[in-house]
Amino acid sequence: MPTEKSLLGKRAEELAAKELIRQGYEVIETNYRCRYGEIDIIAQDRGSIVFVEVRSRRSDFPVFPAESVNKKKQSKLIITAKHYLSSKNASDSDCRFDVVEVKFERGKPISVEVIQNAFGE
């Protein structure tokens, strides 16, 4: 049985994908998994491959969702992205890491914000 947190996370990923598409991104893959980790959304934007981490929080939470993508998480995402690029013979591709913040209030989304180039190597 899915937990409330996992359902909220799934909803946040759906909202993030819709917002990315609205902004002109092309979603290539969702929930990419390999032995190194998981990437929520892989998209293409103006010729770059974009690895997207989706973070959600309640509006009254004292920390912005993107702040929870710490150095350890960033390192894991970078290694996972390298694996993805290697598996697609795309290691020379331009890429970047974006974070999408989804804020909820009483279970309803109140904002979806795309932060481009949120971090990198």
Side-chain angles (χ1 to χ4, degrees), residues 64-77:
F64 288 107
E67 292 176 18
S68 67
V69 184
N70 59 26
K71 291 290 183 193
K72 183 178 179 182
K73 180 63 176 177
Q74 291 174 19
S75 295
K76 198 169 188 176
L77 288 167

Side-chain angles (χ1 to χ4, degrees), residues 62-95:
V63 177
F64 288 107
E67 292 176 18
S68 67
V69 184
N70 59 26
K71 291 290 183 193
K72 183 178 179 182
K73 180 63 176 177
Q74 291 174 19
S75 295
K76 198 169 188 176
L77 288 167
I78 290 167
I79 291 168
T80 306
K82 285 181 178 180
H83 182 271
Y84 173 84
L85 292 169
S86 176
S87 73
K88 301 295 183 184
N89 293 319
S91 295
D92 292 335
S93 298
D94 288 332
C95 66

Side-chain angles (χ1 to χ4, degrees), residues 11-27:
R11 179 76 176 124
E13 289 178 8
E14 291 168 358
L15 291 165
K18 285 180 182 178
E19 179 61 20
L20 292 169
I21 291 166
R22 189 188 73 73
Q23 291 189 21
Y25 290 61
E26 177 189 347
V27 173

